[in-house]
Amino acid sequence: MKKIVFAGGGTAGHVMPNLALIDELKAEYRCIYVGGSGMERGLCEARGIPFYEIKTVKLRRDAFFKNAAVPFKLMSCVRAAKKTLAEISPDLIFSKGGYAALPAVLAAKPLGVPLLCHESDLTPGIVTKLGKKRAQKVLCAFEPCAELFPNGMHVGTPLRKELYRARAVGAREKALRSLELSGNKPVLLIMGGSSGAATLNACAERAIDSLIKTFDVVHITGKNKSGCAPRAGYRKTEFCDDMPMLYAAADACVSRAGANALAELVALGIPTVAVPLEKASRGDQIQNAEYFSERGAVSVLREKDLTAEALAIAAADVYRKRLEYAAAMKKLMVDGTAEICAVIKDILK
C-alpha cells in the first residue's frame, strides 16, 4: 500500500482539510500525518491516524527582531524532517501550508519524494511560495491564485464529507435539542477560528443584549477565551469538535475570514458576516472576505468599523437577506475534495 504524508498544522484551517482528504483516501493508501506540537496531534490521535511530530519554527509577523534566528532554526527543523521522512519513506507529500508544513516541504526534494502544495487563500502564503518550484502542482482554492503559478491548478478547498450532515433531514431539530434551544428564534453562530478571536469575543459581549432580541446565540470563544455571562438564549463553548451539529443549527453566522471557515459556510449556504483578522496578519483574511463579498456570497464588517451596534445590525441584515446570499453561494465552486483526490491518485499511479 502506497504511503502519503500529510503536512500542516497550528490551526484548524491547516489541519481539517488534510483530515478531509485522509477520510477519502485511507481505504486505498496508508495516510500518515506530520506536524508540530499544535492541535494536529490530538485530532489525529482521536481518529487513529499515525502521527509524527517534527520540529517547527514560526515566523512572527508582530515581532520583527525575533525572526532573525528563524533561518538557523529552520535548517535544524529541515534536517530533522528529512530524518523522519526517510524513516516513513512516503510515495507522496501533501502540504496544506502553515509553519508546521514548511520543514516537510523543504525536505521533500532532497529525498526525491513528489510534493503537492495546496493554498487555501486568495494569495499564496510563505510555505506555498517556497514550495512552488519543488511541487508537481500548486493546488489552489481560488482561481486568481492558481493563475499566479505555471503549475497552478484551481481545485477548491478540501471539505469533510461529514459537514454535509448539517443539511440532512432532521439535523436542525437534533442540533437544537442538543443545544437546549427552543427554535423559536433564528440561531446566530459566532466563531473566531480554532484559536478564538479576542476582539470579536469582546464585541459580541457588548452586543449580546441586542443580539438576543433577534437570535439565539451560539458562541465558540476559542480555547481559554471568555465569552458572555450565562443567560437565556446564549450558549458558549471554547471549542467544538462537532461543527456539523452547530452548522445544522445555524441560520446565520459571524465569523473570522479564514479561507477554510468561509469555504465551509459557503458550501453549506449559511449567510455570514465575515470579520477579517487584520493585525498580525499578511492581509489574507481581508482578501478572502472581499473575494466572496464581491460575488454577493458574504457580508464584510471590517475591524475598524466593529462596534456592538454595527455587529447587531450586520447580523440582522445578513439574516434578512439570507435568500439572496444563498443564491449567490450556490454559484461558487468551493468543495474541491474530489478533484484533489483525483490529482493525488493520478500522481500515485
Side-chain angles (χ1 to χ4, degrees), residues 174-221:
K174 185 177 179 180
L176 292 174
R177 287 195 299 272
S178 179
L179 293 165
E180 298 182 341
L181 295 174
S182 67
N184 294 330
K185 293 180 182 177
V187 174
L188 176 69
L189 175 62
I190 301 176
M191 58 184 192
S194 56
S195 301
T199 302
L200 189 55
N201 289 349
C203 188
E205 188 171 357
R206 296 191 299 271
I208 193 62
D209 288 334
S210 295
L211 289 171
I212 61 176
K213 291 177 182 178
T214 304
F215 301 100
D216 283 332
V217 176
V218 178
H219 186 186
I220 306 176
T221 64

Side-chain angles (χ1 to χ4, degrees), residues 188 211 214-215 273 310-321:
L188 176 69
L211 289 171
T214 304
F215 301 100
V273 178
L311 181 63
I313 290 172
D317 187 64
V318 80
Y319 175 69
R320 180 172 58 84
K321 298 176 180 176

Side-chain angles (χ1 to χ4, degrees), residues 240-283:
C240 181
D241 57 5
D242 188 5
M243 285 305 298
M245 183 271 290
L246 294 189
Y247 285 148
D251 296 290
C253 183
V254 175
S255 173
R256 281 301 197 191
N260 198 62
L262 290 184
E264 291 181 352
L265 291 162
V266 169
L268 294 174
I270 299 173
T272 297
V273 178
V275 185
L277 175 69
E278 302 193 28
K279 295 179 181 178
S281 164
R282 63 183 175 87

Side-chain angles (χ1 to χ4, degrees), residues 257 262 274 276 284-294 298 300:
L262 290 184
D284 49 296
Q285 290 204 8
I286 298 171
Q287 295 166 344
N288 298 337
E290 289 179 345
Y291 175 91
F292 285 117
S293 175
E294 288 168 2
V298 305
V300 179

Side-chain angles (χ1 to χ4, degrees), residues 50-288:
F51 183 87
Y52 288 75
E53 183 173 329
I54 58 174
K55 292 166 58 179
T56 62
V57 59
K58 185 176 183 180
L59 183 70
R60 292 286 301 276
R61 298 182 186 279
D62 57 343
F64 178 80
F65 292 105
K66 290 184 179 180
N67 292 328
V70 166
F72 305 99
K73 292 179 179 178
L74 181 58
M75 286 191 289
S76 173
C77 294
V78 173
R79 285 195 296 269
K82 285 181 184 177
K83 184 177 179 180
T84 298
L85 291 171
E87 178 185 342
I88 298 169
S89 188
D91 297 284
L92 175 69
I93 296 172
F94 183 92
S95 164
K96 191 57 208 70
Y99 67 91
L102 185 54
V105 167
L106 297 180
K109 188 174 182 179
L111 292 172
V113 182
L115 172 70
L116 283 175
C117 291
H118 184 273
E119 178 58 63
S120 288
D121 292 312
L122 186 66
T123 56
I126 292 174
V127 176
T128 303
K129 289 177 179 178
L130 292 175
K132 63 183 180 182
K133 291 184 179 179
R134 295 171 169 85
Q136 292 202 5
K137 291 184 183 296
V138 178
L139 307 177
C140 301
F142 294 97
E143 192 168 10
C145 185
E147 292 171 353
L148 298 175
F149 304 100
N151 56 344
M153 182 177 179
H154 176 219
V155 294
T157 296
L159 297 180
R160 293 166 290 157
K161 189 178 293 184
E162 67 176 16
L163 285 172
Y164 297 101
R165 180 162 52 85
R167 290 294 172 257
V169 175
R172 175 177 169 78
E173 291 72 19
K174 185 177 179 180
L176 292 174
R177 287 195 299 272
S178 179
L179 293 165
E180 298 182 341
L181 295 174
S182 67
N184 294 330
K185 293 180 182 177
V187 174
L188 176 69
L189 175 62
I190 301 176
M191 58 184 192
S194 56
S195 301
T199 302
L200 189 55
N201 289 349
C203 188
E205 188 171 357
R206 296 191 299 271
I208 193 62
D209 288 334
S210 295
L211 289 171
I212 61 176
K213 291 177 182 178
T214 304
F215 301 100
D216 283 332
V217 176
V218 178
H219 186 186
I220 306 176
T221 64
K223 191 175 182 180
N224 299 323
K225 293 193 170 60
S226 62
C228 307
R231 67 192 69 204
Y234 175 78
R235 303 287 182 269
K236 70 176 179 179
T237 181
E238 288 191 354
F239 180 76
C240 181
D241 57 5
D242 188 5
M243 285 305 298
M245 183 271 290
L246 294 189
Y247 285 148
D251 296 290
C253 183
V254 175
S255 173
R256 281 301 197 191
N260 198 62
L262 290 184
E264 291 181 352
L265 291 162
V266 169
L268 294 174
I270 299 173
T272 297
V273 178
V275 185
L277 175 69
E278 302 193 28
K279 295 179 181 178
S281 164
R282 63 183 175 87
D284 49 296
Q285 290 204 8
I286 298 171
Q287 295 166 344
N288 298 337

